[in-house]
Amino acid sequence: MKKKYFLLALAAISMAACSNDETENPVVYAEAISFSATIGSPETRAASTATDLQDTYFATGEEVNIGYTAAGGSTYTYAEYTADEHSGNTNGFTLKTGEELLRWPATGTIDLVAYHPSTVDAGTEEFAVVADQSAAADYCASDLMIADKIEGKARVDGTQSFTFHHMLSKVVVNLTAGTGITDEDLANTTVRIKTVKTAALSSGAWSAKGGETTEWITLGTGASTAAIIVPQMITGTATDPIDFIEVTVRSNPAVVWKTTATRTFTANTVNTYGLTVNMSGIALTSTEIAGWSSTAADTDTDAITL
């Protein structure tokens, strides 16, 4: 009986020793880097709509390209990650199937960069928006964003949080029913704008590529629609107005509002146009240009009726 108790005591001591070994001498593996992100200085909005898609956080499942290099280096190792469902204005990210995890080095520090969409990296010099952005996926594919570079981070720094900034410009068109038009008509109204399609990288800023032909960009169908366009300047005059916004109500002929002014679209700005649609034409009731990251705005109250 004493021998039995002695063996049990030895077993207990052995188990305690194993437990202590595991606590004091853990097996160390290269740790995967974890990421989160916000979209720079977001505005507060009551709810997400078609016109504020990806204003303050990434749409679930959107892909970003994340890279790292030794601190001060210039050659990056990249992997694609997908955005998790947002919490507040923040997304976590999950490694895309088939990609290799980015891991902390055992020693030293690293720099990190991130881009959206995932087709973009530090070497990208040209980017084109999608001509028809009526589908959310095509709108998101046009929403070029680059995160602030994160520098000099080590494994002990934990989750790395990126702040992304919109590199292009956004146009929102809000329609109001006028004479002879119903809300149902507006729900079946397609909106397009005429603009330059392709962007090129110039001195670190994205702007319209020279020599490109102008194209119609489809915002979508409904009373409030939005699209991403390339930063650029559109110049119309009283003697030489140019096509700008086209509205098609149901199967009626398209009506085009021509701009007689110079309109400048810069990076990370929202340009909002309020149009009253009448059976006899459309009237520009107001324009608003506001930063995606700001509530400040300039308002043009000129009214023009076709």
Side-chain angles (χ1 to χ4, degrees):
M1 181 67 73
K2 289 182 179 181
K3 183 176 180 180
K4 179 178 179 182
Y5 288 136
F6 178 71
L7 291 175
L8 287 173
L10 284 178
I13 293 171
S14 177
M15 290 176 66
C18 289
S19 177
N20 288 337
D21 286 346
E22 289 172 1
T23 301
E24 296 172 8
N25 301 293
V27 178
V28 177
Y29 297 95
E31 293 182 21
I33 307 172
S34 57
F35 303 101
S36 66
T38 59
I39 298 177
S41 301
E43 296 179 8
T44 300
R45 291 182 181 270
S48 178
T49 67
T51 57
D52 61 21
L53 182 62
Q54 291 204 144
D55 275 5
T56 59
Y57 51 82
F58 285 100
T60 304
E62 276 301 296
E63 298 175 359
V64 298
N65 201 11
I66 300 175
Y68 80 99
T69 184
S74 58
T75 302
Y76 288 85
T77 298
Y78 287 94
E80 294 179 18
Y81 288 75
T82 57
D84 301 331
E85 185 175 356
H86 68 96
S87 175
N89 291 318
T90 302
N91 296 90
F93 289 92
T94 300
L95 185 72
K96 182 181 176 182
T97 301
E99 294 287 298
E100 187 172 341
L101 274 171
L102 300 182
R103 298 180 182 275
W104 290 108
T107 60
T109 59
I110 60 174
D111 298 338
L112 300 113
V113 294
Y115 304 88
H116 174 273
S118 60
T119 52
V120 178
D121 61 26
T124 301
E125 295 184 353
E126 189 169 312
F127 180 85
V129 299
V130 180
D132 184 351
Q133 297 179 32
S134 52
D138 293 320
Y139 173 98
C140 291
S142 304
D143 193 6
L144 175 64
M145 285 187 272
I146 298 176
D148 293 330
K149 184 178 180 180
I150 297 174
E151 298 180 291
K153 296 298 181 179
R155 180 171 60 87
V156 293
D157 293 317
T159 299
Q160 296 303 298
S161 180
F162 287 108
T163 298
F164 282 81
H165 301 280
H166 298 279
M167 295 293 104
L168 305 185
S169 190
K170 177 178 177 178
V171 171
V172 174
V173 176
N174 294 321
L175 304 178
T176 300
T179 304
I181 299 294
T182 66
D183 289 341
E184 185 178 353
D185 289 329
L186 295 186
N188 290 279
T189 297
T190 301
V191 180
R192 300 198 302 169
I193 58 173
K194 195 166 190 179
T195 183
V196 176
K197 180 181 178 182
T198 304
L201 182 63
S202 175
S203 302
W206 293 87
S207 58
K209 181 180 179 180
E212 290 289 310
T213 57
T214 57
E215 293 195 27
W216 286 101
I217 304 295
T218 301
L219 284 70
T221 300
S224 294
T225 55
I228 303 295
I229 67 169
V230 176
Q232 62 195 271
M233 181 181 292
I234 296 175
T235 302
T237 65
T239 56
D240 187 20
I242 60 174
D243 292 347
F244 184 42
I245 301 177
E246 178 193 81
V247 175
T248 304
V249 182
R250 297 186 183 270
S251 59
N252 291 287
V255 178
V256 177
W257 176 67
K258 296 177 179 286
T259 182
T260 58
T262 297
R263 301 192 179 274
T264 302
F265 303 92
T266 56
N268 198 37
T269 59
V270 179
N271 309 272
T272 302
Y273 297 86
L275 298 176
T276 299
V277 182
N278 301 300
M279 187 58 75
S280 58
I282 58 176
L284 176 65
T285 55
S286 68
T287 66
E288 178 184 309
I289 301 174
W292 261 320
S293 58
S294 172
T295 56
D298 295 323
T299 301
D300 178 357
T301 57
D302 290 347
I304 300 172
T305 303
L306 299 183

